[in-house]
Coordinates of all heavy atoms in Angstrom, one line a residue:
M1 N -7.2 2.5 -18.7 CA -7.9 1.4 -18.0 C -9.2 1.9 -17.5 O -9.2 2.7 -16.7 CB -7.0 0.7 -17.0 CG -7.6 -0.5 -16.3 SD -6.4 -1.0 -15.1 CE -7.5 -1.9 -14.0
P2 N -10.2 1.2 -17.9 CA -11.6 1.6 -17.4 C -11.7 1.2 -15.9 O -11.0 0.4 -15.4 CB -12.6 0.7 -18.2 CG -11.8 -0.4 -18.7 CD -10.4 0.1 -18.9
D3 N -12.5 1.9 -15.3 CA -12.8 1.6 -13.8 C -13.3 0.2 -13.7 O -14.1 -0.1 -14.5 CB -13.8 2.7 -13.1 CG -13.2 4.0 -12.9 OD1 -11.9 4.1 -12.9 OD2 -14.0 5.0 -12.8
L4 N -12.9 -0.4 -12.6 CA -13.4 -1.8 -12.4 C -14.4 -1.7 -11.4 O -14.3 -1.2 -10.2 CB -12.2 -2.6 -11.9 CG -12.5 -4.0 -11.7 CD1 -12.8 -4.8 -13.0 CD2 -11.3 -4.7 -11.0
D5 N -15.6 -2.3 -11.6 CA -16.6 -2.4 -10.6 C -16.9 -3.9 -10.2 O -17.6 -4.7 -10.9 CB -18.0 -1.8 -11.1 CG -19.2 -1.8 -10.2 OD1 -18.9 -2.1 -8.9 OD2 -20.2 -1.5 -10.6
V6 N -16.3 -4.3 -9.1 CA -16.3 -5.6 -8.7 C -17.7 -5.9 -8.1 O -17.9 -7.2 -7.9 CB -15.2 -6.0 -7.8 CG1 -13.8 -6.0 -8.5 CG2 -15.1 -5.2 -6.6
T7 N -18.4 -5.0 -7.8 CA -19.8 -5.2 -7.1 C -20.8 -5.9 -8.1 O -21.6 -6.6 -7.7 CB -20.5 -3.9 -6.6 OG1 -20.6 -3.0 -7.7 CG2 -19.6 -3.2 -5.6
T8 N -20.4 -5.9 -9.4 CA -21.3 -6.5 -10.4 C -20.7 -7.8 -10.9 O -21.3 -8.4 -11.7 CB -21.5 -5.5 -11.6 OG1 -20.3 -5.2 -12.3 CG2 -22.2 -4.3 -11.1
M9 N -19.5 -8.2 -10.3 CA -18.8 -9.4 -10.8 C -19.2 -10.5 -9.9 O -19.2 -10.4 -8.7 CB -17.3 -9.1 -10.9 CG -16.9 -8.0 -11.9 SD -15.2 -7.6 -11.7 CE -14.4 -9.1 -12.5
T10 N -19.2 -11.7 -10.5 CA -19.4 -13.0 -9.7 C -17.9 -13.4 -9.2 O -16.9 -12.8 -9.8 CB -20.0 -14.1 -10.6 OG1 -19.0 -14.4 -11.7 CG2 -21.3 -13.6 -11.2
D11 N -17.9 -14.3 -8.3 CA -16.7 -14.9 -7.9 C -15.9 -15.4 -9.0 O -14.7 -15.2 -9.1 CB -16.8 -15.9 -6.8 CG -17.2 -15.3 -5.4 OD1 -17.1 -14.1 -5.3 OD2 -17.6 -16.0 -4.5
E12 N -16.5 -16.0 -9.9 CA -15.8 -16.7 -11.0 C -15.1 -15.6 -12.0 O -14.1 -15.7 -12.4 CB -16.7 -17.5 -11.9 CG -16.1 -18.2 -13.0 CD -17.1 -19.1 -13.8 OE1 -17.5 -20.1 -13.2 OE2 -17.5 -18.8 -14.9
Q13 N -15.9 -14.5 -12.2 CA -15.4 -13.4 -13.1 C -14.3 -12.7 -12.2 O -13.3 -12.3 -13.0 CB -16.5 -12.3 -13.2 CG -17.6 -12.8 -14.2 CD -18.8 -11.9 -14.3 OE1 -19.2 -11.3 -13.3 NE2 -19.3 -11.7 -15.5
I14 N -14.3 -12.5 -10.9 CA -13.2 -11.9 -10.3 C -11.9 -12.9 -10.4 O -10.9 -12.3 -10.6 CB -13.6 -11.7 -8.7 CG1 -14.6 -10.5 -8.6 CG2 -12.4 -11.4 -7.8 CD1 -15.1 -10.4 -7.3
E15 N -12.2 -14.1 -10.2 CA -10.9 -15.1 -10.4 C -10.4 -15.0 -11.7 O -9.2 -15.0 -11.9 CB -11.4 -16.5 -10.0 CG -11.6 -16.6 -8.5 CD -12.2 -18.0 -8.1 OE1 -11.8 -18.9 -8.9 OE2 -12.8 -18.1 -7.0
Q16 N -11.3 -15.0 -12.7 CA -10.8 -15.0 -14.1 C -10.1 -13.6 -14.4 O -9.0 -13.6 -15.0 CB -12.1 -14.9 -15.1 CG -12.0 -15.8 -16.2 CD -13.3 -15.8 -16.9 OE1 -14.2 -15.1 -16.7 NE2 -13.5 -16.8 -17.9
Y17 N -10.6 -12.6 -13.9 CA -10.0 -11.2 -14.0 C -8.6 -11.2 -13.4 O -7.6 -10.7 -13.9 CB -10.8 -10.1 -13.4 CG -10.2 -8.7 -13.5 CD1 -10.2 -8.0 -14.8 CD2 -9.6 -8.2 -12.4 CE1 -9.8 -6.7 -14.7 CE2 -9.0 -6.8 -12.5 CZ -9.0 -6.2 -13.7 OH -8.5 -5.0 -13.8
A18 N -8.5 -11.8 -12.1 CA -7.2 -11.8 -11.5 C -6.2 -12.6 -12.3 O -5.0 -12.1 -12.5 CB -7.4 -12.4 -10.1
H19 N -6.6 -13.7 -12.9 CA -5.6 -14.5 -13.7 C -5.2 -13.7 -14.9 O -4.0 -13.7 -15.3 CB -6.2 -15.8 -14.0 CG -6.3 -16.9 -13.0 ND1 -5.2 -17.5 -12.5 CD2 -7.3 -17.3 -12.2 CE1 -5.6 -18.4 -11.6 NE2 -6.9 -18.2 -11.3
Q20 N -6.1 -13.0 -15.5 CA -5.8 -12.3 -16.7 C -4.8 -11.1 -16.4 O -3.8 -10.9 -17.0 CB -7.1 -11.6 -17.3 CG -8.0 -12.5 -18.0 CD -9.4 -11.8 -18.3 OE1 -9.6 -10.8 -17.8 NE2 -10.1 -12.6 -19.1
Q21 N -5.0 -10.5 -15.2 CA -4.1 -9.4 -14.8 C -2.7 -9.9 -14.5 O -1.7 -9.2 -14.8 CB -4.7 -8.6 -13.7 CG -6.0 -7.7 -14.0 CD -5.7 -6.9 -15.2 OE1 -4.8 -6.1 -15.2 NE2 -6.5 -7.0 -16.3
I22 N -2.6 -11.0 -13.9 CA -1.3 -11.6 -13.6 C -0.6 -11.9 -14.9 O 0.6 -11.6 -14.9 CB -1.5 -12.8 -12.7 CG1 -1.9 -12.3 -11.2 CG2 -0.3 -13.6 -12.7 CD1 -2.1 -13.4 -10.3
T23 N -1.3 -12.4 -15.9 CA -0.7 -12.7 -17.2 C -0.3 -11.4 -17.9 O 0.9 -11.3 -18.4 CB -1.6 -13.5 -18.0 OG1 -2.0 -14.7 -17.5 CG2 -1.0 -13.8 -19.4
V24 N -1.1 -10.4 -17.9 CA -0.9 -9.1 -18.5 C 0.3 -8.5 -17.8 O 1.2 -7.9 -18.5 CB -2.1 -8.1 -18.3 CG1 -1.7 -6.8 -18.7 CG2 -3.2 -8.7 -19.3
C25 N 0.5 -8.7 -16.6 CA 1.7 -8.1 -15.8 C 3.0 -8.8 -16.1 O 4.0 -8.3 -15.5 CB 1.4 -8.0 -14.3 SG 0.1 -6.9 -13.9
G26 N 3.0 -9.9 -16.8 CA 4.2 -10.6 -17.2 C 4.7 -11.5 -16.0 O 5.8 -11.9 -16.0
V27 N 3.7 -12.1 -15.2 CA 4.2 -13.0 -14.2 C 3.2 -14.2 -14.2 O 2.6 -14.6 -13.2 CB 4.2 -12.4 -12.7 CG1 5.4 -11.5 -12.6 CG2 3.0 -11.6 -12.5
P28 N 3.0 -14.8 -15.4 CA 2.1 -16.0 -15.4 C 2.6 -17.0 -14.5 O 3.7 -17.2 -14.2 CB 2.3 -16.5 -16.9 CG 3.5 -15.9 -17.4 CD 3.8 -14.7 -16.6
G29 N 1.6 -17.7 -13.8 CA 1.9 -18.8 -12.9 C 2.0 -18.2 -11.5 O 2.0 -19.0 -10.5
E30 N 1.9 -16.9 -11.3 CA 2.0 -16.3 -10.0 C 0.7 -16.7 -9.3 O -0.4 -16.7 -9.9 CB 2.2 -14.8 -10.1 CG 2.4 -14.1 -8.7 CD 3.7 -14.5 -8.1 OE1 4.6 -14.9 -8.8 OE2 3.7 -14.5 -6.8
D31 N 0.7 -16.8 -7.9 CA -0.5 -17.1 -7.3 C -1.4 -15.9 -7.2 O -1.0 -14.9 -6.7 CB -0.2 -17.6 -5.8 CG -1.4 -18.0 -4.9 OD1 -2.5 -18.1 -5.5 OD2 -1.1 -18.2 -3.8
P32 N -2.7 -16.0 -7.7 CA -3.6 -14.8 -7.7 C -4.4 -14.7 -6.4 O -5.3 -13.9 -6.4 CB -4.5 -15.3 -8.9 CG -4.6 -16.7 -8.8 CD -3.2 -17.1 -8.4
A33 N -4.1 -15.6 -5.4 CA -5.0 -15.5 -4.2 C -5.1 -14.1 -3.5 O -6.2 -13.7 -3.2 CB -4.5 -16.6 -3.2
G34 N -4.0 -13.4 -3.5 CA -3.9 -12.1 -2.8 C -4.8 -11.1 -3.6 O -5.5 -10.3 -3.0
L35 N -4.6 -11.2 -5.0 CA -5.4 -10.2 -5.8 C -6.9 -10.6 -5.8 O -7.7 -9.6 -5.7 CB -4.9 -10.3 -7.3 CG -5.6 -9.4 -8.3 CD1 -5.5 -7.9 -7.8 CD2 -4.8 -9.5 -9.6
I36 N -7.2 -11.8 -5.7 CA -8.6 -12.2 -5.7 C -9.2 -11.7 -4.3 O -10.4 -11.1 -4.3 CB -8.7 -13.8 -5.8 CG1 -8.4 -14.2 -7.2 CG2 -10.1 -14.2 -5.4 CD1 -8.3 -15.7 -7.4
L37 N -8.5 -11.9 -3.2 CA -8.9 -11.5 -2.0 C -9.2 -10.0 -1.9 O -10.3 -9.5 -1.5 CB -8.0 -11.9 -0.8 CG -8.4 -11.6 0.6 CD1 -9.8 -12.3 0.9 CD2 -7.3 -12.0 1.5
A38 N -8.2 -9.2 -2.4 CA -8.3 -7.8 -2.5 C -9.5 -7.3 -3.3 O -10.2 -6.4 -3.0 CB -7.0 -7.1 -3.1
L39 N -9.7 -7.9 -4.5 CA -10.9 -7.5 -5.3 C -12.2 -7.9 -4.6 O -13.1 -7.1 -4.8 CB -10.7 -8.4 -6.6 CG -9.7 -7.9 -7.7 CD1 -9.5 -8.9 -8.8 CD2 -9.9 -6.5 -8.1
R40 N -12.3 -9.0 -4.0 CA -13.5 -9.4 -3.3 C -13.9 -8.3 -2.1 O -14.9 -8.1 -1.8 CB -13.5 -10.8 -2.7 CG -13.6 -11.8 -3.8 CD -13.6 -13.2 -3.3 NE -13.7 -14.1 -4.3 CZ -13.3 -15.4 -4.3 NH1 -12.7 -15.9 -3.2 NH2 -13.4 -16.2 -5.3
N41 N -12.7 -7.9 -1.5 CA -12.9 -6.9 -0.3 C -13.1 -5.5 -0.7 O -13.4 -4.6 0.1 CB -11.7 -7.0 0.6 CG -11.7 -8.4 1.4 OD1 -12.7 -8.9 1.6 ND2 -10.4 -8.7 1.7
M42 N -12.9 -5.2 -2.1 CA -12.9 -3.8 -2.6 C -14.2 -3.1 -2.3 O -14.2 -2.1 -1.8 CB -12.6 -3.8 -4.0 CG -12.4 -2.4 -4.5 SD -12.1 -2.3 -6.4 CE -10.6 -3.3 -6.6
P43 N -15.4 -3.7 -2.5 CA -16.6 -3.0 -2.2 C -16.8 -2.7 -0.8 O -17.2 -1.6 -0.4 CB -17.7 -4.0 -2.6 CG -17.0 -4.9 -3.6 CD -15.6 -5.0 -3.2
A44 N -16.4 -3.5 0.2 CA -16.5 -3.2 1.6 C -15.5 -2.1 2.0 O -15.9 -1.1 2.8 CB -16.1 -4.4 2.4
R45 N -14.4 -2.0 1.3 CA -13.4 -0.9 1.6 C -13.9 0.4 1.0 O -13.7 1.5 1.7 CB -12.0 -1.3 1.0 CG -11.5 -2.5 1.6 CD -10.0 -2.8 0.9 NE -9.1 -1.9 1.4 CZ -7.9 -1.7 0.9 NH1 -7.5 -2.5 0.0 NH2 -7.1 -0.9 1.3
V46 N -14.5 0.3 -0.1 CA -15.1 1.6 -0.7 C -16.1 2.2 0.3 O -16.2 3.3 0.5 CB -15.5 1.3 -2.1 CG1 -16.4 2.6 -2.6 CG2 -14.4 1.0 -3.0
R47 N -17.0 1.3 0.7 CA -18.1 1.7 1.5 C -17.6 2.2 2.9 O -18.0 3.3 3.3 CB -19.1 0.5 1.8 CG -20.0 0.2 0.8 CD -21.2 -0.8 1.2 NE -20.6 -1.9 1.8 CZ -20.2 -3.1 1.1 NH1 -20.3 -3.1 -0.2 NH2 -19.9 -4.1 1.8
A48 N -16.6 1.6 3.4 CA -16.0 2.1 4.7 C -15.3 3.4 4.6 O -15.5 4.2 5.3 CB -14.9 1.1 5.2
L49 N -14.6 3.6 3.4 CA -13.9 4.9 3.2 C -14.9 6.1 3.0 O -14.7 7.2 3.1 CB -13.0 4.8 2.1 CG -11.7 4.0 2.5 CD1 -10.7 3.8 1.3 CD2 -10.9 4.7 3.7
R50 N -16.2 5.6 2.5 CA -17.2 6.7 2.3 C -17.8 7.1 3.7 O -18.4 8.2 3.9 CB -18.3 6.2 1.4 CG -17.8 6.2 0.0 CD -18.9 5.8 -0.9 NE -18.4 5.8 -2.3 CZ -18.9 4.9 -3.2 NH1 -19.8 4.0 -2.9 NH2 -18.4 4.9 -4.5
D51 N -17.7 6.3 4.7 CA -18.2 6.5 6.0 C -17.2 7.5 6.7 O -16.0 7.3 6.8 CB -18.3 5.3 6.9 CG -18.8 5.5 8.2 OD1 -18.4 6.4 8.8 OD2 -19.6 4.6 8.7
P52 N -17.7 8.7 7.1 CA -16.8 9.8 7.7 C -16.0 9.2 8.9 O -14.8 9.6 8.9 CB -17.8 10.8 8.2 CG -19.0 10.7 7.3 CD -19.1 9.2 7.1
Y53 N -16.6 8.4 9.6 CA -15.8 7.7 10.8 C -14.6 7.0 10.4 O -13.5 7.3 10.8 CB -16.7 6.9 11.7 CG -15.9 6.2 12.8 CD1 -15.5 6.8 13.9 CD2 -15.5 4.8 12.6 CE1 -14.8 6.1 15.0 CE2 -14.8 4.2 13.5 CZ -14.4 4.8 14.7 OH -13.8 4.1 15.7
W54 N -14.7 6.1 9.4 CA -13.7 5.2 8.9 C -12.7 6.0 8.1 O -11.5 5.9 8.2 CB -14.2 4.0 8.2 CG -14.9 3.0 9.1 CD1 -16.2 2.8 9.1 CD2 -14.2 2.3 10.1 NE1 -16.5 1.9 10.1 CE2 -15.3 1.6 10.7 CE3 -13.0 2.0 10.5 CZ2 -15.1 0.6 11.8 CZ3 -12.8 1.3 11.6 CH2 -13.8 0.5 12.2
H55 N -13.3 7.0 7.3 CA -12.3 7.8 6.6 C -11.5 8.7 7.4 O -10.1 8.7 7.2 CB -13.1 8.8 5.7 CG -12.3 9.7 4.8 ND1 -11.8 10.8 5.1 CD2 -11.8 9.4 3.6 CE1 -11.1 11.3 4.2 NE2 -11.0 10.5 3.2
D56 N -11.9 9.2 8.5 CA -11.1 10.1 9.3 C -10.1 9.2 10.1 O -8.9 9.5 10.3 CB -12.0 10.7 10.3 CG -12.8 11.8 9.9 OD1 -12.5 12.2 8.7 OD2 -13.7 12.4 10.5
L57 N -10.5 7.9 10.5 CA -9.6 7.1 11.2 C -8.5 6.6 10.2 O -7.3 6.6 10.7 CB -10.4 5.7 11.6 CG -9.7 4.8 12.6 CD1 -9.3 5.4 13.9 CD2 -10.4 3.6 12.8
V58 N -8.8 6.2 9.1 CA -7.7 5.8 8.1 C -6.7 7.0 7.8 O -5.6 6.8 7.8 CB -8.4 5.2 6.8 CG1 -7.3 5.1 5.7 CG2 -9.0 3.9 7.1
S59 N -7.4 8.2 7.6 CA -6.5 9.4 7.4 C -5.6 9.7 8.5 O -4.5 10.0 8.3 CB -7.4 10.6 7.1 OG -8.2 10.3 5.9
Q60 N -6.1 9.6 9.8 CA -5.3 9.9 11.0 C -4.2 8.8 11.1 O -3.1 9.2 11.5 CB -6.1 9.8 12.3 CG -7.1 10.9 12.3 CD -8.1 10.7 13.5 OE1 -8.0 9.8 14.3 NE2 -9.1 11.6 13.5
E61 N -4.5 7.5 10.8 CA -3.4 6.5 10.8 C -2.4 6.8 9.8 O -1.2 6.5 10.0 CB -4.1 5.1 10.7 CG -3.2 4.0 10.9 CD -2.4 4.1 12.2 OE1 -3.0 4.5 13.3 OE2 -1.2 3.8 12.2
A62 N -2.8 7.1 8.6 CA -1.8 7.4 7.6 C -1.0 8.6 7.9 O 0.3 8.5 7.6 CB -2.7 7.7 6.2
T63 N -1.5 9.6 8.4 CA -0.8 10.7 9.0 C 0.3 10.3 10.1 O 1.5 10.8 10.0 CB -1.6 11.8 9.4 OG1 -2.5 12.3 8.3 CG2 -0.8 13.0 9.9
A64 N -0.2 9.5 11.0 CA 0.6 9.1 12.0 C 1.8 8.1 11.5 O 3.0 8.3 11.9 CB -0.1 8.3 13.0
F65 N 1.4 7.3 10.4 CA 2.5 6.4 9.9 C 3.6 7.4 9.2 O 4.8 7.1 9.4 CB 1.8 5.5 8.8 CG 2.8 4.7 8.1 CD1 3.4 3.5 8.6 CD2 3.2 5.1 6.8 CE1 4.3 2.8 8.0 CE2 4.1 4.3 6.1 CZ 4.7 3.2 6.7
R66 N 3.1 8.3 8.5 CA 4.2 9.2 7.7 C 5.0 9.9 8.7 O 6.2 10.0 8.5 CB 3.4 10.3 6.8 CG 3.0 9.7 5.5 CD 2.5 10.8 4.6 NE 1.5 11.6 5.1 CZ 0.2 11.4 5.1 NH1 -0.1 10.3 4.4 NH2 -0.7 12.3 5.6
E67 N 4.4 10.3 9.9 CA 5.1 11.1 10.7 C 6.2 10.2 11.4 O 7.3 10.5 11.7 CB 4.3 11.8 11.9 CG 3.4 12.9 11.4 CD 2.4 13.4 12.3 OE1 2.1 12.7 13.4 OE2 1.8 14.3 12.0
R68 N 5.8 8.9 11.7 CA 6.8 7.9 12.4 C 7.9 7.7 11.3 O 9.0 7.6 11.7 CB 6.1 6.6 12.7 CG 5.3 6.7 13.9 CD 4.8 5.3 14.4 NE 4.0 4.5 13.4 CZ 2.7 4.6 13.1 NH1 2.0 5.3 14.0 NH2 2.1 4.0 12.2
E69 N 7.6 7.5 10.0 CA 8.6 7.3 9.1 C 9.6 8.5 8.9 O 10.8 8.2 8.8 CB 7.9 7.0 7.7 CG 7.2 5.8 7.6 CD 8.3 4.6 7.7 OE1 9.2 4.5 6.9 OE2 8.0 3.7 8.6
E70 N 9.1 9.7 9.0 CA 9.9 10.9 9.0 C 10.9 10.9 10.2 O 12.0 11.2 10.0 CB 9.0 12.1 8.9 CG 8.3 12.3 7.5 CD 7.3 13.4 7.4 OE1 7.1 14.1 8.6 OE2 6.7 13.6 6.5
R71 N 10.3 10.6 11.4 CA 11.2 10.7 12.6 C 12.2 9.6 12.5 O 13.4 9.8 12.8 CB 10.2 10.5 13.8 CG 9.5 11.6 14.3 CD 8.9 11.4 15.7 NE 8.0 10.3 15.8 CZ 6.7 10.3 15.6 NH1 6.2 11.3 15.1 NH2 6.1 9.2 15.8
T72 N 11.8 8.5 12.0 CA 12.8 7.3 11.8 C 13.9 7.8 10.9 O 15.1 7.5 11.1 CB 12.2 6.1 11.4 OG1 11.1 5.7 12.4 CG2 13.2 5.0 11.2
A73 N 13.5 8.3 9.7 CA 14.6 8.8 8.7 C 15.5 9.8 9.3 O 16.6 9.8 9.1 CB 13.8 9.3 7.4
R74 N 14.9 10.8 10.0 CA 15.7 11.8 10.7 C 16.8 11.2 11.7 O 17.9 11.5 11.8 CB 14.8 12.9 11.4 CG 14.3 14.0 10.3 CD 13.7 15.1 11.1 NE 12.7 14.8 12.1 CZ 11.5 14.7 11.7 NH1 11.0 14.9 10.5 NH2 10.5 14.4 12.7
A75 N 16.1 10.3 12.5 CA 17.0 9.6 13.5 C 18.2 8.9 12.8 O 19.3 8.8 13.3 CB 16.1 8.7 14.4
L76 N 17.9 8.1 11.7 CA 18.9 7.4 11.1 C 19.9 8.3 10.5 O 21.1 8.1 10.5 CB 18.2 6.5 10.0 CG 17.6 5.3 10.4 CD1 16.8 4.6 9.4 CD2 18.5 4.3 11.2
H77 N 19.4 9.4 9.9 CA 20.4 10.4 9.3 C 21.3 11.0 10.3 O 22.4 11.1 10.1 CB 19.5 11.5 8.6 CG 20.4 12.7 8.1 ND1 20.7 13.7 8.8 CD2 21.0 12.7 6.8 CE1 21.5 14.5 8.1 NE2 21.7 13.9 6.9
D78 N 20.6 11.4 11.5 CA 21.5 12.0 12.6 C 22.5 11.0 13.1 O 23.6 11.4 13.4 CB 20.6 12.5 13.6 CG 19.7 13.7 13.2 OD1 19.9 14.2 12.1 OD2 18.8 14.0 13.9
A79 N 22.0 9.7 13.3 CA 22.9 8.7 13.8 C 24.1 8.5 12.8 O 25.3 8.4 13.2 CB 22.1 7.4 14.0
W80 N 23.8 8.5 11.5 CA 24.8 8.2 10.5 C 25.8 9.5 10.5 O 27.0 9.3 10.4 CB 24.3 8.0 9.2 CG 25.2 7.8 8.1 CD1 25.4 8.7 7.0 CD2 26.3 6.8 7.9 NE1 26.6 8.2 6.2 CE2 27.0 7.2 6.8 CE3 26.6 5.9 8.7 CZ2 28.0 6.4 6.4 CZ3 27.7 5.0 8.3 CH2 28.4 5.3 7.1
A81 N 25.3 10.6 10.6 CA 26.1 11.9 10.6 C 27.0 11.8 11.7 O 28.2 12.3 11.5 CB 25.2 13.1 10.6
G82 N 26.8 11.3 12.9 CA 27.7 11.2 14.0 C 28.5 9.9 14.0 O 29.5 9.8 14.8
H83 N 28.4 9.1 13.0 CA 29.2 7.9 12.9 C 30.6 8.0 12.5 O 30.9 8.8 11.6 CB 28.5 6.9 12.1 CG 29.0 5.5 12.2 ND1 30.1 5.0 11.5 CD2 28.5 4.4 12.9 CE1 30.3 3.7 11.8 NE2 29.3 3.3 12.7
P84 N 31.6 7.4 13.1 CA 33.0 7.7 12.7 C 33.3 7.4 11.2 O 34.3 7.8 10.6 CB 33.8 6.8 13.6 CG 32.9 6.1 14.4 CD 31.5 6.5 14.1
D85 N 32.5 6.4 10.7 CA 32.8 6.0 9.2 C 32.2 7.0 8.2 O 32.3 7.0 7.1 CB 32.2 4.7 9.0 CG 33.1 3.6 9.6 OD1 34.2 3.9 9.9 OD2 32.5 2.5 9.7
H86 N 31.4 8.0 8.8 CA 30.7 8.9 7.9 C 31.7 10.1 7.8 O 32.1 10.8 8.6 CB 29.5 9.5 8.6 CG 28.7 10.4 7.6 ND1 28.7 11.8 7.9 CD2 28.0 10.3 6.5 CE1 28.0 12.4 7.0 NE2 27.5 11.6 6.1
R87 N 32.1 10.3 6.5 CA 33.2 11.2 6.2 C 32.5 12.4 5.3 O 32.0 12.1 4.3 CB 34.3 10.7 5.4 CG 35.0 9.4 6.0 CD 36.2 9.7 6.6 NE 37.0 8.6 6.9 CZ 36.8 7.7 8.0 NH1 35.8 8.0 8.7 NH2 37.6 6.8 8.2
T88 N 32.6 13.7 5.9 CA 32.0 14.7 5.1 C 33.1 15.4 4.2 O 32.8 16.1 3.3 CB 31.4 15.8 6.0 OG1 32.4 16.1 7.0 CG2 30.1 15.2 6.7
E89 N 34.3 15.2 4.5 CA 35.4 15.8 3.8 C 36.4 14.6 3.4 O 36.5 13.6 4.0 CB 36.2 16.7 4.6 CG 35.4 17.8 5.3 CD 36.3 18.6 6.3 OE1 37.5 18.3 6.5 OE2 35.7 19.6 6.8
E90 N 37.2 14.9 2.4 CA 38.1 13.9 1.9 C 39.3 13.8 3.0 O 39.7 14.8 3.5 CB 38.7 14.4 0.6 CG 37.8 14.2 -0.6 CD 37.6 12.8 -1.0 OE1 38.5 12.0 -0.8 OE2 36.5 12.4 -1.2
T91 N 39.6 12.6 3.3 CA 40.7 12.4 4.3 C 42.0 12.2 3.5 O 42.0 11.6 2.5 CB 40.5 11.2 5.1 OG1 39.8 10.1 4.4 CG2 39.7 11.6 6.3
P92 N 43.1 12.9 4.0 CA 44.3 12.8 3.3 C 44.9 11.4 3.2 O 44.7 10.6 4.1 CB 45.3 13.8 3.9 CG 44.5 14.2 5.2 CD 43.1 13.7 5.1

């Protein structure tokens, strides 16, 4: 798939592209509004991520999110390991 440059596309072309992609993905009739909005916002997101301040901020938030997810997974694992229904051995 070639790179998509929405900065050179008109709103009509973006909408057309979104409808085509929904059809290609096998979900014709699906509402393209979310994809259209994401495509229209793409140039601003790219510019923001090139800015060191925003890049660092997004990277820090992504790291914090991963760490929260890991802590949650460990807590759930530990809670399940101590649960009476959790059996590590076959019961006779």
Side-chain angles (χ1 to χ4, degrees):
M1 181 177 159
D3 287 340
L4 180 66
D5 183 6
V6 294
T7 60
T8 61
M9 296 171 73
T10 65
D11 283 347
E12 184 178 290
Q13 289 171 322
I14 288 174
E15 289 177 22
Q16 227 174 11
Y17 179 78
H19 284 283
Q20 289 170 349
Q21 291 306 305
I22 286 174
T23 302
V24 166
C25 291
V27 287
E30 188 67 26
D31 183 11
L35 180 54
I36 290 168
L37 183 61
L39 290 169
R40 286 182 179 157
N41 288 332
M42 190 184 304
R45 294 178 74 188
V46 168
R47 281 191 307 274
L49 287 174
R50 286 185 183 145
D51 180 318
Y53 171 80
W54 291 111
H55 182 270
D56 291 347
L57 186 64
V58 169
S59 296
Q60 290 170 10
E61 186 55 36
T63 299
F65 176 80
R66 279 193 304 275
E67 290 170 353
R68 283 191 305 270
E69 289 295 304
E70 289 170 2
R71 284 193 304 273
T72 300
R74 278 194 302 274
L76 289 172
H77 176 269
D78 294 347
W80 176 245
H83 193 275
D85 286 343
H86 184 256
R87 310 255 193 280
T88 56
E89 301 173 359
E90 286 293 317
T91 35

